[in-house]
Amino acid sequence: MLSLKEIASVTLILFAVIDIIGSIPIIINLRQREGKIESEKATIVSGVLMIAFLFLGQSILKLFGLDFESFAMAGAIIIFLIGLEMILGKDFFHTDPESKSGSIVPLAFPLIVGAGTMTTLLSLRAAYSLPNILVGIVLNLVFVYIVLKSSSWIERKLGKEGANVLRKVFGIILLAIAIKLFKTNL
């Protein structure tokens, strides 16, 4: 049964973990590098990944003999590399030249749906009812879509220098998050 309290809790927890607001500098960087962000594609892929992991996550990890710590370490490496990209201005993630879009990698995965989001979904599954989790996922995806769709407007409001400063600051924050994940999961 749907519960407004559970939906609000799930939505806020996922909002904090996904942190699409904190990802704005990365989104702007991707848009500048790739020429466009396919908001619909990134949102749909993110939704499919979240829902699939909600239902199959534990089985998938067990199938490969992985534990949460190993999964989190892999996510930490990706986050670390994205942080380095932002600070150093070097590209570590090269996309297919034909597609000209980083909408799936690294945007949908691992930025929106990374190790933190996936493990959080498994934890939420143990604490909340499935319909409330699904509504929380959809509400977060709506917000993600709005942020992705308005990334060029956000960039114009920040200006080139503002975007550069924000990119460097969040690059350092991403490096710190990656190092924390390393330390926590050693």
Side-chain angles (χ1 to χ4, degrees):
M1 179 180 311
L2 292 177
S3 161
L4 198 54
K5 182 179 177 183
E6 280 196 13
I7 291 170
S9 294
V10 168
T11 302
L12 290 173
I13 290 166
L14 284 174
F15 181 79
V17 172
I18 293 170
D19 190 24
I20 194 67
I21 300 296
S23 299
I24 288 173
I26 301 167
I27 294 165
I28 290 171
N29 190 45
L30 276 171
R31 200 177 64 65
Q32 288 174 345
R33 187 176 72 198
E34 305 293 337
K36 64 180 175 176
I37 293 290
E38 296 177 55
S39 307
E40 296 85 4
K41 186 177 186 179
T43 304
I44 290 169
V45 169
S46 297
V48 168
L49 286 171
M50 281 193 265
I51 292 168
F53 205 79
L54 179 66
F55 288 104
L56 304 170
Q58 217 160 13
S59 300
I60 292 170
L61 291 178
K62 283 181 184 175
L63 177 69
F64 292 108
L66 297 173
D67 54 18
F68 288 126
E69 292 80 16
S70 300
F71 194 71
M73 286 290 277
I77 292 169
I78 299 297
I79 291 170
F80 187 82
L81 291 173
I82 291 170
L84 283 178
E85 268 191 347
M86 293 173 70
I87 292 170
L88 302 175
K90 302 288 182 188
D91 292 336
F92 297 118
F93 295 100
H94 298 287
T95 57
D96 179 7
E98 297 295 316
S99 74
K100 275 298 193 195
S101 173
S103 297
I104 295 180
V105 176
L107 187 54
F109 179 80
L111 203 58
I112 297 169
V113 185
T117 303
M118 291 178 170
T119 53
T120 300
L121 286 170
L122 293 180
S123 300
L124 290 172
R125 179 102 193 242
Y128 298 98
S129 70
L130 199 54
N132 295 323
I133 297 171
L134 291 171
V135 172
I137 289 171
V138 170
L139 290 173
N140 272 279
L141 289 172
V142 167
F143 192 71
V144 163
Y145 176 77
I146 291 168
V147 169
L148 293 177
K149 203 66 175 168
S150 60
S151 64
S152 60
W153 178 83
I154 293 169
E155 182 183 8
R156 280 194 308 274
K157 291 297 176 189
L158 286 174
K160 187 174 182 170
E161 289 303 313
N164 283 335
V165 168
L166 201 57
R167 186 176 304 114
K168 303 286 184 196
V169 168
F170 277 98
I172 291 170
I173 290 170
L174 283 179
L175 288 176
I177 290 169
I179 290 168
K180 181 181 179 189
L181 282 170
F182 283 130
K183 287 172 43 179
T184 305
N185 295 293
L186 281 178

